[in-house]
Amino acid sequence: MTNDDQLSHRPPVPNTRLNDSTPHRRLRMVAVLDVPAEHLTAFRRYEDLVLPLLTEHGGRLEQRLRTGDGCTEVHLLSFAGRDGYESYLADPRRAVHRQEELRGVELTSRFLEVSEVDPVRPAE
């Protein structure tokens, strides 16, 4: 068999579309984190340690927003799949960093699975 024969007999590349019109979508999560003002420095140190771990789990920080007072952050995260999200949450380094940086800090957090909706179209 020649190289040309091998190339022509490769197995098909898996389709990255769910159907003919819908591209494969990443799991999208929104995290809403409320931090007491007196612990903002510790929270930012913690985030500097754990956010880089996302890529090891197939995750990305798509957008990071913060209120004017700095006490609430909203993160739009995406993962290649649910397994990546769950492995990120279970990563023991996150627990170690939380214990080291946020011991005794009361954070309020919500994690929501979200999906994009069609934008509102202006009336004609």
Side-chain angles (χ1 to χ4, degrees):
M1 187 181 287
T2 68
N3 275 346
D4 289 37
D5 289 334
Q6 288 173 346
L7 291 175
S8 65
H9 291 92
R10 284 187 180 163
V13 176
N15 192 343
T16 59
R17 298 174 93 59
L18 297 176
N19 61 38
D20 289 339
S21 62
T22 308
H24 175 71
R25 290 203 170 88
R26 294 174 58 85
L27 173 70
R28 297 177 87 184
M29 302 295 295
V30 170
V32 180
L33 308 150
D34 294 308
V35 185
E38 64 273 17
H39 297 293
L40 289 174
T41 301
F43 175 73
R44 292 195 181 124
R45 278 194 314 263
Y46 168 75
E47 296 244 299
D48 289 345
L49 294 167
V50 299
L51 288 175
L53 301 176
L54 284 166
T55 58
E56 294 179 33
H57 300 279
R60 289 193 301 242
L61 177 62
E62 304 286 347
Q63 193 167 24
R64 184 177 183 187
L65 305 167
R66 186 179 292 152
T67 57
D69 64 3
C71 292
T72 300
E73 281 201 16
V74 178
H75 299 177
L76 176 58
L77 307 164
S78 71
F79 290 86
R82 185 165 307 282
D83 289 348
Y85 172 64
E86 290 174 3
S87 70
Y88 174 71
L89 292 180
D91 189 317
R93 295 171 293 179
R94 289 182 69 244
V96 168
H97 294 316
R98 185 175 182 115
Q99 182 65 22
E100 290 172 350
E101 300 298 334
L102 298 177
R103 183 186 312 234
V105 175
E106 294 284 334
L107 292 179
T108 303
S109 57
R110 292 179 44 191
F111 294 86
L112 308 166
E113 186 172 340
V114 297
S115 59
E116 192 169 350
V117 295
D118 292 331
V120 176
R121 301 179 196 276
E124 293 184 21

